[in-house]
Amino acid sequence: GQKKIALFQSVKRLDGVVDGFKAEMTKRGYVEGKHVGYQYQNSDLDVAKGKQIAKSFIDGNVDLVLAIAEAPGLMYEATRLANKSIPIVFTNVNAPDKLGIVASLRSSGNNVTGIRNEAILITTKKLEFLRQLDRSVKKVGIFAPPPESIVPPNAFPEAVDALKKTAPQFNMEIVVYTLKAAGEKSPAELQKVA
């Protein structure tokens, strides 16, 4: 029979990951509609919606979950609470070991595996690049998602802490603007500060 694969992401901008996963599955002989069926859901950074999505995947007895960005934390927690061991493949996750999604980078110790994102390292390198482009920059603004939208909750603060530690090396200051709305409402909030 067909394998049921859940595609769970938290932000629309990462649709390319979903497209790439499906294309690679097809190259490996898993044809959609014949060998596999995909169930796609996007939580739009809404934690309550994300928990509902994770539960629906568990209730739907999916065979595998591709979880992107903030979604792996929700999916792992839901499978743990439901006492299920649905395989979860994650991508675009910063420090999955520190976030409790995996036991360590060597071995997950659970039903989760994937590719971590080096966003914190890359983000701090962007300060160096910015300094090379314009030596007069003194303050750098960062738009933080609303605290209730971050899953797991310590993911964004870790990145901000890394930037705040790095910024003085380039004679810069990091200023954080916390958005009041998640998902589709965020562009309106950005306009207020920009």
Side-chain angles (χ1 to χ4, degrees):
Q2 266 190 23
K3 296 290 183 186
K4 294 190 282 186
I5 299 179
L7 305 170
F8 183 11
Q9 69 184 61
S10 53
V11 289
K12 188 90 174 125
R13 73 177 186 275
L14 296 173
D15 279 349
V17 174
V18 171
D19 296 341
F21 178 82
K22 290 171 74 174
E24 190 61 31
M25 289 293 286
T26 301
K27 281 197 320 194
R28 293 178 180 272
Y30 296 94
V31 178
E32 186 173 3
K34 186 175 180 182
H35 305 104
V36 296
Y38 295 106
Q39 299 173 22
Y40 172 83
Q41 292 285 335
N42 182 341
S43 69
D44 295 314
L45 291 174
D46 182 315
V47 174
K49 182 179 177 183
K51 288 179 179 180
Q52 290 172 342
I53 291 169
K55 185 178 179 333
S56 75
F57 287 148
I58 292 168
D59 293 346
N61 293 314
V62 297
D63 297 295
L64 174 79
V65 177
L66 172 66
I68 305 164
E70 287 80 8
L74 284 173
M75 196 66 226
Y76 173 64
E77 183 65 12
T79 57
R80 190 185 63 74
L81 291 173
N83 202 25
K84 300 277 186 171
S85 60
I86 300 167
I88 301 169
V89 177
F90 66 81
T91 186
N92 290 63
V93 176
N94 291 315
D97 52 333
K98 292 180 184 171
L99 301 174
I101 298 170
V102 297
S104 74
L105 296 179
R106 276 186 149 1
S107 174
S108 70
N110 56 28
N111 57 316
V112 183
T113 190
I115 302 169
R116 72 181 179 145
N117 184 355
E118 293 291 346
I120 293 171
L121 176 64
I122 292 167
T123 301
T124 56
K125 285 286 188 189
K126 288 178 183 176
L127 289 179
E128 181 179 354
F129 183 64
L130 180 59
R131 174 56 67 221
Q132 291 171 359
L133 288 175
D134 187 345
R135 299 192 76 60
S136 67
V137 173
K138 298 290 182 209
K139 287 187 179 183
V140 176
I142 298 173
F143 294 97
E148 68 277 2
S149 74
I150 302 170
V151 180
N154 57 342
F156 188 80
E158 186 177 329
V160 172
D161 288 346
L163 283 169
K164 285 183 174 181
K165 287 178 185 169
T166 304
Q169 295 174 23
F170 303 105
N171 202 24
M172 294 180 188
E173 175 188 357
I174 301 298
V175 180
V176 179
Y177 300 96
T178 301
L179 298 173
K180 292 177 180 54
E184 296 302 313
K185 300 172 192 163
S186 294
E189 291 295 320
L190 291 172
Q191 291 301 318
K192 290 179 187 176
V193 180

